Amino acid sequence: MDRSVYITSTGAFLPGKPVPNEEMEQYIGELNDRRSRLGRFVLRQNGIKTRHYALTPDGVHLHSSADMAARAIRDALSRSEIAAERLSFLAAATTQGDLLVPGFASAVHGELGLRPMEIASFQSVCASSMMAFKSVYLQLKAGEHDCGVACAAEFSSRFFRPGFYAGREQEGEDSSALMETEFLRWTLSDGAGAWLLETRPNEGRRSLRVEWIDLCSYADRFDPCMYAGTSRNRAGERKPWSHYDSPALAAQQGAVVLKQDFDLLYRMFPVWAKHYLELVDRRRLRPGAIDHFLAHYSSHSLRGEMVKLLAKTGAMVPEARWFTNLYSQGNTGAASILLMLHQLIEERDLQPGQQVLGFIPESGRCVIAFMLLTVV
């Protein structure tokens, strides 16, 4: 029997107050004048105006990633038509969790305090939430469960505090090397989102039927592009943090700092575009019929690159139908697409029959994810 699966409720948690650009360094800290100037350049490029941090200005942690995920799930449950006790499957995603071991889903389940249930943990970058989403979708589709939740949370700001850069003399590095760390430091922020999935639609309000979820890795073609936990020597060879004699030595060599390789990033764009065109043919997707296009991108300048590339393909979703929360919430990594759909539902009067296309490129090691939803 074919079982349809529906998103029946969404939830969100954004910590603290919105932090404007001029207050950012009060939270993530000042490193030096050169990095601050680079930061201002990044802000002009990414277009972000406000974001949220799970830190106080003096560096005190207000939440954990697991706590934020649990709060987003509770928010989704509070908006749903079911009791929390019906939840029997939890899939949780993050880029970097609170602990090395155990898995993130265990931590979220513990924070929730709900009954024993099946769980799954997913660790990647922006597309990890889609991995969790697809896991829940397939579990319900297969008849293993009738109700499950996919969540994702990020607490990036804690890794941008000055202590993570201590002991490293970087004033001699060129601007491109510094930009590998500063771009992410001035772009990523904190938050959590959750989607509740069921095998039946809501009775009293609209739901979103999941038509399909498409996800593919191209890691066979690329080295890590957005990464932490490794450093490169002058020959370009990578050494994992766990291969150093101590965590302190790994940190001193820059192996724990989050970095973005821009040369690799721009080489991924044509691969993502080719996958999209193949998807249009394989899924018989009609871009002009999409009512809402949820495109995840980390910077306004990268959106421009995306628009130019898609326009050349002839399979462009009209830009007037694009929806993003980047400028007000920043780039919340794995949680971005979950928070984006939540905000779309809150702000737009979705009508039955409308279609929502989600596009989530992940630069970590080149992953691409799409989803198609129908309003019912």
Side-chain angles (χ1 to χ4, degrees), residues 91-129:
T94 189
T95 301
Q96 294 175 285
D98 305 307
L99 305 176
L100 295 177
V101 177
F104 186 53
S106 293
V108 176
H109 184 208
E111 288 287 341
L112 280 171
L114 295 178
R115 66 181 179 88
M117 66 178 65
E118 186 173 353
I119 62 171
S121 296
F122 294 88
Q123 185 272 320
S124 192
V125 192
C126 304
S128 60
S129 53

Side-chain angles (χ1 to χ4, degrees), residues 344-366:
L344 177 78
I345 293 170
E346 292 287 293
E347 294 183 0
R348 302 286 175 88
D349 182 21
L350 302 184
Q351 295 299 313
Q354 287 187 335
Q355 291 199 312
V356 180
L357 179 66
F359 167 51
I360 306 90
E362 174 183 305
S363 65
R365 196 163 178 172
C366 198

Side-chain angles (χ1 to χ4, degrees), residues 74-94:
R74 292 191 192 103
D75 185 42
L77 287 168
S78 72
R79 300 165 185 265
S80 75
E81 296 180 352
I82 67 164
E85 291 71 27
R86 278 197 54 206
L87 193 64
S88 60
F89 183 67
L90 163 66
T94 189

Side-chain angles (χ1 to χ4, degrees), residues 335-348:
S336 290
I337 189 65
L338 305 187
L339 289 168
M340 209 182 302
L341 182 63
H342 176 77
Q343 189 169 340
L344 177 78
I345 293 170
E346 292 287 293
E347 294 183 0
R348 302 286 175 88

